[in-house]
Amino acid sequence: MEFSDHIKTANVEDVVLRQPLHPPSRGTLCITGHHLLFSEREEGSSQQVLLLLRNIDAVEKRMSGSSGTITIKCKDLRVLQLDIPGMEQCLNISRSIETLSCLDNVSEMYPFFYRPTDLSLQDQWGLSTPEKHYTQMKELHERWRLSSVNKSYSVCPSYPPAVIVPNCIDDETLKKVAKFRQGGRFPVLCYYHRKNGMVIMRSSQPLTGANRKRCKEDELLLQAVIEDSDKGFIIDTRSSQQVHQARMTGGGFESKSFYNCWKRLHRQMERGKALQESLIKLVEACSDESHSVDRWLSKLENSKWLSHVQTALSTAGLLAECVERDGHSALVHGYEGTDCSLLICTLAQLIMDPFCRTLEGFLALLEREWVQAGHPFQQRCAHSAYSHARFQQESPVFLLLLDCVWQLWRQFPLALGFSEALLLRLANEVYASDYGTFLCNNDQERCALGVKDRTHCLFRALLRPAEIDYYSNPLYEPTELAIWPSVHPQSLQLWRGFFLRWTQLAHHLEEVQEEIRSMVIEWARVAQR
Amino acid sequence: MTEVSAATVLNVISEGSERQRPTRVPTAADEDKPSDCCFSASPPSWMLVMMEHIRTPKVENVRLLDRSSGQRKASVGTLYLSATHTIFIENNPETRKETWVLHSMVCSVERPPATPSGSQLILRCKDFRVFQVLIPQERACLDVHASLVRLSRPEKYSELYCLSFNPNVNKEEREESWNFIDLQADYKRMGVPNNLWVSTVANSEYRVCDTYPAELFVPKSATPAVIVGSSRFRSRGRFPALSYFHQDTLAAVCRCSQPLSGFSGRCQEDEMMLQAVMKSNPGSDFIYVVDTRPKLNAMANKAAGKGYENEDHYNNIKLHFIGIENIHVMRSSQQKIIDVGEMRAPTMTDFLWGLENSGWLKHIKAVLDAGVFIAKAVADEGVSVLVHCSDGWDRTAQACSVSSILLDPFYRTIQGFMVLIERDWVSFGHKFSHRYAHLDGDPREVSPVIDQFLECVWQLSEQFPCAFEFNERFLFAVHTHVYSCQYGTFLGNCEKERRDMRLRERSHSVWPQLWKDRSQFSNPLYKAELSQSQGILRPNTTPYCFKMWKGLYNHVEKSTPPRQSPADFLSAVRDESHRLEEELTNHQERIAALTGKPIMWEKMEAPRRGSSRLPHRHSGPDPPTSYSEAITSSELQNSHLCSSELANQRAQRADSAFSGLLGQQLRSPDVEDVSACSDLESGVADLSSRSSCGGDDSKDPELE
């Protein structure tokens, strides 16, 4: 199939573009296979707007007489308006955008065509691999091994080919455990706490079912995790009522009688549809500027987004508490173990591990815990808050993560090595990107499509010298200490930088960040003399 | 800053730095206490009078819990009552921590039912701090209660601390302190008097309006007869006078009180007065009359023979209502937001509902909207505005001062802000003593009018972080002094009252003191040349721009996040680099002196930013804020709904025995933990122990 089949009108002259924070401008609109390009045609100005079609979440058209207006709502929450002369042209354009913005075929997406001059496809893709990660973690080697049981993705389709498991558990055992866990996601190590040797494991739910099936190998594996220590904690991201219900559909939980050294803690975290609806309500509340303070507060409350932020941070805090303060290992799972489990494991690592708080460490953490660990990006981020499409698998879990990280960043402005700009950039890239990093749902799919050979890696691009300054925190002061976030409602704020990004307010706050950067540079210069 | 005022300021400072200022009057912060030389050898008569009210000057074995700072465990010590302060000294011989609470900062003293271990007192302060006191013997508790109730409610001005506060400052210096803020210099700065606005002697000796200042500016064409006539037609005689003159557009902000129009009354002089205001702005052929009240309230006033201007009687006016509620609505709204600040372990829903239900942010928005309307009219349309409410001393003061902040960058500096408060609030007769309960009086007169103004400024500073020379601490300091009666500045209800009390002879002005401390009030991000700081501020007043002012209403959270403040860090870095620069110059000079020739430094090893000299600003190993409990409590609340969930809840309880265990760990003093972790980073222990928070501790703090 050719993109040109979808483009009946490629160029329109005399289009008026209205976008936030800019006066309307007149120029030429051009549609290509992956982009919408607007070039201003006015004396003395050469403004261009290049928009990835993938970034477009919804298109609304309104015809009046011989011309029409297309409203484009983007996944980065920007809303653009195009006044297009000629009814047919307008209809053609809007039809092209609608089709091209949600192509299903991954290998037709822009990352496969994006070829910047300063990056080469021969470069290493990604920051690290499970193998490298294991090799670097010398402390691990005594008790933990790297298993290639999933080499051909046959044991667990959503895991990477290599995972870290206890030394004493062989591959045969792992295969049996995988059969006992949903989607084959058997418990694997995701974090080793250097200070006390405790670990965080993650998995999916055990398939105990209504008749309380058990799996000796699974019990053995978990026993091997805590070894001689007296207990470990299982943090289940579902309520205890939910886990009992899950048994009816074949899922379940680790019962006390078979896992007597493990203590279960339940923290109900919303995911899936509930989270998607929460985002939609919040964005809707933010885009209506006319209502009163009361109405705003009640809509903010009603969206529940901040409650989700609170729950995520406090569950992550609990996990870190178990490991850092209480000195026990922990296993985290919910249902599939591809959403909330990743969310709180990531946050707990940021709280505890100073290396994860550096720019490079944070990107590596995301690569490990989200890309390699098999968060289904393609399903979760197909649409965002404006889409009229019927939602299936969409859920802004990754966005919730970024929001929680932002809350950490706001509470500890000196402790994180990256800037808010990085979080905003990631929030964009996860929905529409020039890079292949967030394509597909797991490693297996990426391999099948040759993503690692045919696209560029976002994380590597962000670490290029030209970009790295912008994404570093000028105030960064490394600390070895854990950063315990406050989860008091008054300490959590709406992420203005993202949700109100296209308002004057966010613009001012951006200016301030720039100001801070230049001040610090200036003083560093003075100190150098 | 004009030359005149700059000179005045510099004069005061240079003198101030030469002498030993003995009079660091205590602020209400608990660490502060009066310096030793406050009182002469024999106590003043006032003190003897106040001491009569002290039935028990000293109680031992008292437990004190500073609830608002997130303290979880009460400390045991001795409580002393002095004529001015309640003082608590910890028994712990190592710390001997002292807590001082100024009587005039105490807002209420509650005595909840006694417990087996003793009788309780709850002290609520006007800066929203809360202290809980447990006294073993009921008798002593009753005595302390009775004394505090009396001491915190002075009946007459002569009982106030500031009038007997006798610092080692001579007469000239004291008088100088009162000249620190020169309003006439500020009018000159705006270009007044000129051929449009002139000074009037009409109100000298406060003959026309006793709540106005003696010196006022009025339109050039307004004759004394017109002024007097107009004042007779205005509530309390508060006739239209100049508040701010905008040199760029020649438009002005004027203020007055409501007209006594009733349903049909009119007054020729008043109509001429408004005409004169319009004529003093050559660029426009009408004026806005901004009535800051809700229209319904304004109409209701007609029945009492007051009301608002009838547009048929006045030529070329446009009436505009803003809808700021009256002092009674504001008083109860603030109480609600204080309650929100005191909520323990609320869920997000509780918190946002509480915030909405208080209505507080809605009122703050109304005040800011008033300021924005006026600033736009003056700066964008070039139209003069006459502002009033009922008496023209509450909402009018708010609206005028907010508009000045928006219009003129000078008022966003530390000095300019002092001038602004002195002009729109102090000189124009805002009733400080009534509104902030300086004396025992009518509780219905009390209302947080200036609190709202300060909060508007804070909300603006959140939107424009580089536009203000001062920081949040400066606003807190002003807030505290408005209530504390430590200085004479905010005493009384108008200029005349202050003159009659001879405050200038008997007390001191707060402004020089704040100016002296300005380094701690400065905002490192302030950049006068940045575009957002220049000219008119155009704030966004969409509801999502308003946040709860955590620093003021939630002391628990103030002591916690942001545990790391970028502003403080930047200040430290700035000071450090200034210091380095100075050191470099010093060394160069010394070497030059020694060798007889100037030396140019080769590039030297650059100390990394954040070297050991900089205080480490990381929050330390805080006791984790019991993540378990915040959630459990919300679940408990949700799950009482259906019985099937009860079992579920029980199951959770069993599981969360763990969290109890963790909780215990948290609440134990944590001394070992802190020191163990502080080894990781030297110098952190001290900071971390201070920043350890209790924001999420859902358990009631315990006195025992």
Side-chain angles (χ1 to χ4, degrees), chain A residues 240 264 289 325 477 488 491 519, chain B residues 524 544 557 618 624 648 695:
Chain A
S240 51
R264 268 184 300 121
E289 305 208 336
R325 295 199 58 93
E477 285 286 310
H488 199 276
S491 308
M519 279 165 108
Chain B
Y544 55 59
E557 288 296 303
H618 284 294
N648 160 26

Side-chain angles (χ1 to χ4, degrees), chain B residues 52-108:
Chain B
E52 276 174 17
H53 302 302
I54 302 174
R55 301 194 190 173
T56 313
K58 177 180 173 187
V59 190
E60 286 178 339
N61 279 321
V62 171
R63 284 163 195 275
L64 178 99
L65 187 73
D66 182 354
R67 225 157 70 175
S68 44
S69 78
Q71 195 185 353
R72 289 195 201 92
K73 238 178 127 71
S75 37
V76 185
T78 308
L79 188 81
Y80 299 88
L81 288 184
S82 82
T84 56
H85 288 83
T86 305
I87 306 152
F88 176 84
I89 302 178
E90 244 181 50
N91 282 350
N92 185 340
E94 276 172 31
T95 50
R96 299 285 292 172
K97 185 173 176 268
E98 297 178 12
T99 305
W100 292 62
V101 182
L102 196 66
H103 294 324
S104 53
M105 284 308 280
V106 175
C107 161
S108 74

Side-chain angles (χ1 to χ4, degrees), chain A residues 412-423:
Chain A
F412 299 94
L414 315 185
L416 300 175
F418 45 87
S419 63
E420 183 179 11
L422 178 78
L423 301 175

